[in-house]
Amino acid sequence: MAEQIKAVRGTRDITPDEVYKWHYVESAARKVFEKFGFREIRTPIFEHTELFVKGTGEITDIVQKEMYTFEDKGGRSLTLRPEGTPPVVRSYLENNLFVDIPVNKFYYIAPMFRYERPQAGRYRQHMQLGVESIGSPSPAADAELMSMYWHFITELNIKEVKLSMNNVGCGNADCRPNYVEHLKSYAKENIDSLCDTCKDRLERNPLRMLDCKVEGCSEIFKKGPKILDHLCQECNKHLKLVKSYMERLEIPYEMNPFLVRGLDYYTRTVFEVTATGLGAQDAIAGGGRYDNLVEQLGGKPTPALGFGCGLDRLIATMEAQNTRFPDPPGIDVYLVSVGEEGVSRILEISYLLRRKGISAEIGLEDRSLRSQMKTANKLGAKYVIIIGEEEIEKGVASLKNMQDGHQETVDMQMLGSTMEDKLRISHR
RNA sequence: GUGAGUGUAGCUCAACGGUAGAGCAUCAGAUUGUGGAUCUGGUGGUUGGGGGUUCGAGACCCCUCACUCACCCCA
């Protein structure tokens, strides 16, 4: 035997036994999102590398060490998309989608690629359900987005989720930059007690020191300056309104002043949803406002916000919580034949039934009746149609109800309509 | 990128350095044309791959690949 080629590290197959769960979650998402006025957008799976360097941010981990970047035969540097926001903004600008309506709302269900070491809930290719709302500065848009996600996971019956929220301010001199100076001088006062990563972050990306998990560091920053105390007036007002809307919508959330997301472009509202049963990688969704990104990517100054939700983790959560999925689709009829003439008959009948919208499966191997019945049972067929020499001679078919075991004889000509009647009743 | 653990049949796992096994699944039969329960039998493996130690390696050593978990970070 030739050597087996296996799936690439960090990737996996979703086999037919699993895929119905994905269909369920995806169609729930489409239903919910479309009710909230979001429309699907599909962008290419790869982009010019520059889009992510500029959009996601040069100093992010994603860009610095996690991108699948390659050169194509034309010498272009391309990158498999590691996240969905920059491509959607690019598409929004490229297609001039802003001309029709002031606020554009998009969603996508698409694979993302990051070169990371795989572990529980982390893959090199993972499916992300993403949403972007471009054009509105209103805090109501923030609340709308979070409430939509909340509704979505409620619909799926996901339990034990926590929505954490923060406001990381804006670029005005009296807002985040001012806070960062405070934070830096505070960190310098305590520099001897900080871990090496934090020392490094102090210059490169000071905000990220806040969510350091090293105990000593988190203790220090708990006592340090908080962004929420240093927001400019506008950001403060925004935060206040978002909170009041969330309360009015009765969406439970927690303020977490240490929540800082790994992407550069966030302004003001950021949030993260965590779930139980996942191990260390427990974030099932994360997002926030990015009011400067559209301009950064060459558009006019346009406020925007969005989030991403990892479907692999979402489904893993549901499995860990024993969430009920709808039953996997079974088949209506299994057709069994005896003898060569029987095979040609069941092929013909199955084609007829299938065209009537009935799901039918046929046994094509030359096996004993008993074996074929076993297969029918295993596939969960509601009915079995048996066509052998006796039936052919009489021009009939034997029809067996697999639930109650009752068997009857049906005129071959009447099979189509009989099956339609029976299945209409049992579907009710 | 760092650290730890694990790779034996489709799945879950055994086998003191000495003939590679069990349960489940699968296939067939018991039932010459009838599923689920029971019983009987069969198929199925270059022990992840490569090298080394040894009279002899699934086991010990080295390399490599993969998986798992954690760090980092993220969904």
Side-chain angles (χ1 to χ4, degrees):
Chain A
M1 239 182 8
E3 198 191 327
Q4 292 247 326
I5 298 168
K6 291 187 282 190
V8 173
R9 175 158 213 210
T11 69
R12 58 180 185 152
D13 304 307
I14 313 292
T15 58
D17 287 341
E18 296 288 316
V19 87
Y20 75 96
K21 297 177 184 175
W22 289 73
H23 287 162
Y24 169 61
V25 171
E26 286 166 13
S27 76
R30 289 174 195 281
K31 263 186 226 154
V32 169
F33 292 0
E34 280 171 19
K35 276 187 188 123
F36 277 74
F38 286 76
R39 297 186 302 156
E40 184 174 1
I41 186 167
R42 300 191 186 193
T43 63
I45 213 160
F46 47 38
E47 298 275 355
H48 292 286
T49 302
E50 196 189 355
L51 176 67
F52 300 108
V53 174
K54 275 193 178 163
T56 307
E58 214 152 353
I59 62 160
T60 57
D61 280 8
I62 289 183
V63 169
Q64 282 188 342
K65 48 190 198 193
E66 295 174 4
M67 294 209 296
Y68 273 96
T69 297
F70 61 96
E71 197 172 283
D72 74 1
K73 291 182 197 291
R76 287 170 277 261
S77 176
L78 305 178
T79 295
L80 298 182
R81 72 177 154 220
E83 58 135 347
T85 303
V88 170
V89 171
R90 192 225 82 230
S91 172
Y92 165 85
L93 293 172
E94 190 165 339
N95 295 290
N96 296 313
L97 296 178
F98 44 82
V99 300
D100 294 330
I101 38 175
V103 179
N104 275 272
K105 304 199 286 188
F106 310 104
Y107 76 87
Y108 50 86
I109 303 174
M112 302 295 160
F113 305 85
R114 293 181 200 169
Y115 191 87
E116 302 178 272
R117 190 95 157 233
Q119 78 182 66
R122 196 169 70 187
Y123 303 95
R124 287 186 172 177
Q125 171 177 342
H126 75 278
M127 198 58 101
Q128 213 170 103
L129 184 60
V131 150
E132 316 294 342
S133 169
I134 306 178
S136 170
S138 168
D142 305 41
E144 180 193 34
L145 204 74
M146 288 186 273
S147 69
M148 176 170 81
Y149 189 69
W150 196 256
H151 176 55
F152 169 60
I153 55 181
T154 306
E155 284 282 285
L156 291 178
N157 266 313
I158 297 173
K159 314 259 190 270
E160 295 169 47
V161 284
K162 196 171 90 185
L163 170 58
S164 309
M165 190 169 99
N166 193 19
N167 186 309
V168 295
C170 65
N172 290 345
D174 59 343
C175 202
R176 185 155 70 197
N178 175 43
Y179 168 71
V180 168
E181 285 317 307
H182 276 86
L183 182 65
K184 280 167 84 170
S185 57
Y186 176 78
K188 278 174 194 159
E189 287 165 26
N190 295 280
I191 188 100
D192 295 336
S193 323
L194 294 180
C195 72
D196 290 345
T197 342
C198 280
K199 283 177 190 156
D200 188 46
R201 283 170 177 157
L202 176 57
E203 291 310 322
R204 291 178 40 238
N205 197 353
L207 272 187
R208 289 216 60 84
M209 294 189 296
L210 289 178
D211 69 350
C212 182
K213 275 114 199 158
V214 176
E215 213 174 298
C217 298
S218 55
E219 284 301 313
I220 287 164
F221 290 112
K222 257 181 206 159
K223 294 181 206 134
K226 307 280 188 306
I227 176 82
L228 293 176
D229 300 325
H230 291 79
L231 294 176
C232 68
Q233 225 180 357
E234 282 301 300
C235 286
N236 238 323
K237 189 178 160 204
H238 188 92
L239 172 62
K240 221 176 111 190
L241 282 167
V242 172
K243 285 164 78 170
S244 80
Y245 294 152
M246 291 297 277
E247 273 139 37
R248 179 169 286 203
L249 296 175
E250 295 179 350
I251 313 287
Y253 70 94
E254 266 172 38
M255 284 308 291
N256 174 3
F258 303 100
L259 176 63
V260 180
R261 302 201 35 85
L263 304 178
D264 275 5
Y265 48 64
Y266 285 119
T267 54
R268 295 188 170 168
T269 309
V270 294
F271 65 95
E272 194 169 272
V273 180
T274 52
T276 54
L278 276 175
Q281 311 301 325
D282 62 352
I284 54 171
R289 187 166 267 286
Y290 47 90
D291 288 339
N292 304 323
L293 182 61
V294 177
E295 187 180 8
Q296 248 167 50
L297 291 178
K300 286 182 287 191
T302 309
L305 67 163
F307 68 75
C309 163
L311 282 191
D312 302 77
R313 285 185 193 173
L314 194 74
I315 288 170
T317 303
M318 293 171 75
E319 285 166 345
Q321 296 185 357
N322 283 315
T323 309
R324 234 191 99 73
F325 287 92
D327 290 335
I331 62 169
D332 296 323
V333 185
Y334 191 86
L335 293 101
V336 163
S337 67
V338 184
E340 211 151 296
E341 177 60 15
V343 174
S344 110
R345 293 294 176 95
I346 62 168
L347 180 64
E348 187 185 344
I349 295 165
S350 65
Y351 186 53
L352 170 82
L353 295 177
R354 287 160 172 170
R355 280 179 296 164
K356 285 179 179 294
I358 294 167
S359 62
E361 181 57 296
I362 52 182
L364 293 174
E365 318 84 27
D366 185 23
R367 299 197 305 158
S368 71
L369 178 57
R370 173 189 153 77
S371 308
Q372 296 185 65
M373 291 299 292
K374 275 185 160 181
T375 303
N377 188 55
K378 212 169 296 160
L379 293 176
K382 298 188 186 85
Y383 291 92
V384 167
I385 290 172
I386 303 163
I387 302 207
E389 276 106 10
E390 290 170 26
E391 283 84 358
I392 291 170
E393 223 169 88
K394 296 180 189 150
V396 297
S398 296
L399 174 61
K400 181 165 188 173
N401 180 324
M402 292 297 274
Q403 264 121 55
D404 59 20
H406 176 76
Q407 185 165 321
E408 61 192 298
T409 302
V410 178
D411 191 292
M412 195 102 65
Q413 303 306 315
M414 300 297 291
L415 255 185
S417 55
T418 304
M419 288 318 299
E420 278 183 310
D421 290 345
K422 291 211 178 273
L423 288 166
R424 203 169 300 136
I425 289 162
S426 71
H427 276 315
R428 206 180 283 164

